[in-house]
Amino acid sequence: MNILILGSGGREHALAWAVLQNPKCDKLIVAPGNGGIAQIAQCAAINPDDSAAVLDLVAEEAVDFVIIGPEAPLAAGVADALREAGILTFGPSKAAAELEASKSFTKMICDASNAPTAAYARFNEADPAKAYIREQGAPIVVKADGLAAGKGVIVAMSEAEALAAIDDMFGGAFGGAGAEVVIEEFLEGEEASFFVLCDGETALPVGTAQDHKRAYDGDEGPNTGGMGAYSPAPVMSDAIVEKTMEEIIKPSMAEMARRGTPFQGVLFAGLMVKDEQPKLIEYNVRFGDPECQCLMLRLGAQALDLMLAAAEGRLNEMSVNWADDHAMTVVMAANGYPGSYEKGTVINGLDALPETSFEMCFHAGTKREAGQFLATGGRVIALTARGTSLQEAHAKAYAMVDAVYWPEGFNRSDIGWRALKG
């Protein structure tokens, strides 16, 4: 079958790599793709948020199945347009994508389904929001309600930091995403990423991971889109997975169906686990990046079969065949990220890296020019490895990092520290 993946990041490179392992894929197009994706698939220079452009490409390339990678096309209703045109699509409707597009909406779903989550309040004006912060004290969490590319969450350890976040959000630092804010209690515990495929009725767990959001070693520095991850997450025991499914995922999905907006696609639950009790931090409606790189290396060819089953409403027939293995990905980012950074710097050593089912370099912000890979974004590459133990995956991933020469980039040296310290 002819398959189209929408997106241009490391997540989409990982999805493309996994899809190509499956013999069902005859032709793969990625729109718009990046320098690394262009080495394995056909890239199409269109805006993935533009439904008309996507539909034109689907017709031109006789596409049978579309996988939507990032959140922006989902929030823009691209999945709806594709389904209306009769195209098999993996990804939720615009209405169901509100689970990520609006923090307030997610809180309403949690309230209606009794899913455990942080206590919260919503505000569309700065003064009452600041009064609430002064009343509650710090630490406290301030979130832009809308999509902010993973950067609209401020974990404020002081009242002053929380008040400054309010000024930033209502001052336009996150554009329209900050027109409304959600202020939450600060949850203590260990964070985990939990991924579930849904077809509107059935919910099937497909993996756990742990992300590293802070820019620098020791979980220091500003929040980023993610500097590395590993899978599985030890904190997500079988008992906690079952509890998460029964108390959070299934009730949320039932509430979405009750509202007439059943969820189909991948549901990414960001969790905080303390004393064996998971609480929902937030929902995302797409695979995490960089967690997806770990998951796809572990899932391989079956990832396509699972996504097809979700799109066709056949998840009740499916099971996930996990090897007893571990994966780790280490992100290399441009110096200065998540602030301002230089573009166009040369990354050396990528062509010599292994490309196997155990070691892959997934590209995010790159382009190929005059035989060289140039950095075009903040998070640029994700060096990903799989092993029989997390220690083995860690050693392989960091060996790949060491083989890259890019003075204008940096990476954390402690990915996986929580699991490895034991």
Side-chain angles (χ1 to χ4, degrees):
M1 63 195 311
N2 294 344
I3 298 171
L4 169 64
I5 296 174
L6 297 181
S8 62
R11 167 183 47 227
E12 286 73 40
H13 192 178
L15 288 167
W17 176 86
V19 164
L20 285 168
Q21 308 308 303
N22 194 307
K24 289 188 178 72
C25 179
D26 297 311
K27 181 179 182 181
L28 178 63
I29 306 115
V30 184
N34 61 42
I37 293 172
Q39 308 302 302
I40 62 171
Q42 175 184 332
C43 290
I46 65 164
N47 178 358
D49 303 351
D50 183 340
S51 295
V54 173
L55 288 170
D56 286 346
L57 179 63
V58 164
E60 182 181 322
E61 298 290 350
V63 169
D64 303 297
F65 182 43
V66 179
I67 299 167
I68 302 178
E71 62 273 21
L74 295 167
V78 172
D80 305 74
L82 286 163
R83 289 196 186 95
E84 286 169 15
I87 304 300
L88 191 63
T89 302
F90 178 80
S93 65
K94 180 177 181 178
E98 281 290 288
L99 280 172
E100 178 166 1
S102 170
K103 306 291 191 300
S104 297
F105 180 80
T106 291
K107 289 297 190 181
M108 287 191 288
I109 294 296
C110 288
D111 288 346
S113 59
N114 293 315
T117 187
Y120 74 101
R122 300 158 51 191
F123 300 93
N124 53 25
E125 293 181 353
D127 287 346
K130 289 182 175 181
Y132 181 80
I133 287 168
R134 292 188 183 101
E135 178 186 320
Q136 297 296 317
I140 198 164
V141 181
V142 182
K143 296 182 177 182
D145 181 67
L147 296 177
K151 301 180 184 70
V153 176
I154 307 299
V155 180
M157 301 311 292
S158 68
E159 190 175 293
E161 189 181 359
L163 296 174
I166 294 296
D167 286 335
D168 286 346
M169 289 182 187
F170 285 117
F174 299 101
E180 182 174 336
V181 301
V182 173
I183 303 176
E184 295 184 351
E185 76 170 305
F186 175 79
L187 294 178
E188 292 184 290
E190 188 168 347
E191 284 193 54
S193 302
F194 183 52
F195 297 89
V196 181
L197 292 190
C198 308
D199 64 8
E201 292 186 4
T202 300
L204 178 69
V206 292
T208 67
Q210 193 164 71
D211 190 10
H212 297 62
K213 283 291 191 188
R214 298 284 185 171
Y216 310 128
D217 285 8
D219 288 333
E220 297 290 332
N223 261 342
T224 71
M227 294 300 295
Y230 59 94
S231 174
V235 69
M236 294 298 291
S237 65
D238 290 345
I240 292 177
V241 165
E242 184 177 355
K243 200 167 200 178
T244 302
M245 289 297 294
E246 296 303 320
E247 295 182 5
I248 299 175
I249 304 298
K250 289 181 180 178
S252 296
M253 293 299 90
E255 176 61 18
M256 292 295 287
R258 188 193 69 77
R259 289 168 174 252
T261 54
F263 188 92
Q264 184 265 79
V266 60
L267 188 66
F268 163 9
L271 304 172
M272 186 69 78
V273 182
K274 184 180 181 183
D275 299 330
E276 302 292 304
Q277 175 61 55
K279 285 189 176 184
L280 182 73
I281 300 172
E282 64 182 8
Y283 278 133
N284 295 309
V285 298
R286 37 70 189 179
F287 284 106
D289 186 340
E291 296 100 326
C292 187
Q293 288 86 315
C294 292
L295 292 176
M296 290 304 116
L297 204 64
R298 295 185 66 213
L299 283 170
Q302 65 178 316
L304 175 58
D305 295 326
L306 292 166
M307 289 187 284
L308 275 169
E312 294 173 343
R314 298 184 291 103
L315 275 180
N316 62 324
E317 304 170 5
M318 306 299 288
S319 61
V320 183
N321 299 313
W322 283 113
D324 185 16
D325 62 2
H326 300 258
M328 179 177 289
T329 190
V330 180
V331 170
M332 296 190 76
N335 290 336
Y337 173 81
S340 59
Y341 50 84
E342 184 182 357
K343 293 184 179 181
T345 58
V346 177
I347 312 166
N348 289 299
L350 299 187
D351 287 326
L353 293 175
E355 295 183 358
T356 71
S357 59
F358 290 90
E359 294 155 294
M360 277 295 300
C361 173
F362 295 117
H363 292 229
T366 68
K367 68 177 179 180
R368 186 87 168 177
E369 194 172 276
Q372 294 180 311
F373 284 108
L374 306 181
T376 61
R379 293 187 299 162
V380 175
I381 52 175
L383 293 311
T384 311
R386 184 161 64 98
T388 55
S389 66
L390 187 60
Q391 288 82 356
E392 183 183 353
H394 176 276
K396 287 182 176 180
Y398 276 102
M400 295 173 74
V401 170
D402 292 341
V404 174
Y405 181 72
W406 182 34
E408 297 83 6
F410 77 100
N411 60 273
R412 282 183 58 164
S413 65
D414 65 345
I415 302 302
W417 69 269
R418 285 184 182 275
L420 292 167
K421 68 179 179 180

